[in-house]
Amino acid sequence: MASENVRTPTVLILGAGFGGLELTACLSESLPGEVRVILVDRNDGFTFGFSKLEILFRDQPPESLRISYRDVVRPGVEFRQEQVTSIDPQTRHVVTDRRGYDPDFLIVALGADYDPAATPGFVEDGHEYYSIQGACRLRDRLARFDGGTILLGVLSVPFKCPPAPYEGAMLLHELLARRGIRERTSMHVLTPMDSPIPVSADTSAALVEALARRGIDYSPGRRVHALDPANHVARTHTGDLAYDLFIGIPTHCVPPVVEASGLTVDGGDGWIHVDPRTLATPYPGIYAIGDCADAPVPRAGVFAENAARTVAAHIAAQLHGTPPPGKYLGQGSCYIEFGHGLVGKVDADFLSGPKPVAPFVTPSTELATEKAEFAAARIRRWFTDQRTVTGTS
């Protein structure tokens, strides 16, 4: 029997999104009584990323979609609402606005921030729906929109949830048609990518065809690099485009505290460098999962969740002195809203085989039900408050 004087190892998880919440659940289940888990997030509650579509297009108030972190109640787990102010990877010392930490294991799951100012003119004359505040602001703008030209531009790569720009375009088409103003509105989607979902030709073809069927112009390989707010013109390398409403997927970046830590040194495009097999950083005892890491997978919650399971298994192996478990597989299913109650799905597997595979499942109402259960199952798993999820969010 272990001595009562043996200190219980501490696992500090920074960020309570998909990755942080799943890791908390995994550690509580796999290492009961063996570790102390502290989960830190600056917010007081969790909102699914796809719930922003509910705010924007289905008039759901943000507070109805937020799940309080006070409902994260598991043995050996403590949630603390704190702002991370510094991370020293050399010593694993973390400082928040409340206290300092020196954990045995540190997992950085702080996600990606947005940098709207990276595109000149976007702050002054653009809208986005990737943040809750942005979705509310765009919702109010759309309520006043009475027709004209709408441009929807992907401003930089990578970005969270690759299908989201196309979901937004299709749901916007549905909203404008319902309001009777679609016929006097032109819509145009622009992206620097050559296809919507490069890893899945079938999914890309389905999205391009869906845009065309709705009369939405689509320009791959074309990036908006600036807006002219005075003249409502989007600048591209192949010409200017006038608009009445510009909606952008903003440039993504690591949170400032991560950039200042030095964790992004040698990371791809300014993200935290990790071993793609284990999600370990070059610093002992420190891992990074989710949108802030440079693992070769899309930035989406399901991949952060898959990464969390990998990290939980590696921590358990280190504590038990057992061989390292299998590598990170980069697997996950992404649901895609097509409007009119139909949802499609792409099942992606990036790392288990010689090359990524991502078969597409045709949109259906059955998949809409499956998406709702996907969310409800995670609420049941991550939170003690057993509630249902309305709609398809």
Side-chain angles (χ1 to χ4, degrees), residues 84-106:
V84 180
T85 58
S86 72
I87 303 169
D88 183 348
Q90 298 285 351
T91 61
R92 286 199 302 277
H93 184 64
V94 174
V95 178
T96 73
D97 57 356
R98 300 287 183 87
R99 69 202 87 193
Y101 296 93
D102 294 287
D104 299 277
F105 297 93
L106 172 64

Side-chain angles (χ1 to χ4, degrees), residues 225-266:
H225 59 81
L227 301 183
D228 177 352
N231 298 297
H232 305 302
V233 169
R235 309 290 186 193
T236 80
H237 292 299
T238 54
D240 296 345
L241 296 169
Y243 60 83
D244 296 288
L245 172 61
F246 184 87
I247 304 170
I249 309 303
T251 295
H252 288 35
C253 61
V254 294
V257 69
V258 173
E259 184 176 14
S261 73
L263 282 167
T264 60
V265 173
D266 296 327

Side-chain angles (χ1 to χ4, degrees), residues 359-376:
F360 178 64
V361 185
T362 304
S364 66
T365 55
E366 289 78 13
L367 283 176
T369 301
E370 183 179 304
K371 180 184 176 183
E373 175 53 29
F374 169 92

Side-chain angles (χ1 to χ4, degrees), residues 164-216:
Y166 310 96
E167 292 181 295
M170 290 186 287
L171 293 175
L172 180 55
H173 162 87
E174 182 181 15
L175 173 68
L176 297 176
R178 189 164 62 243
R179 290 182 51 199
I181 60 174
R182 179 65 182 93
E183 290 186 357
R184 58 176 183 266
T185 302
S186 65
M187 297 178 61
H188 190 173
V189 175
L190 305 97
T191 173
M193 302 170 67
D194 292 332
S195 62
I197 313 293
V199 73
S200 177
D202 290 344
T203 307
S204 292
L207 289 171
V208 171
E209 190 275 333
L211 294 178
R213 191 168 65 248
R214 291 162 174 77
I216 301 172

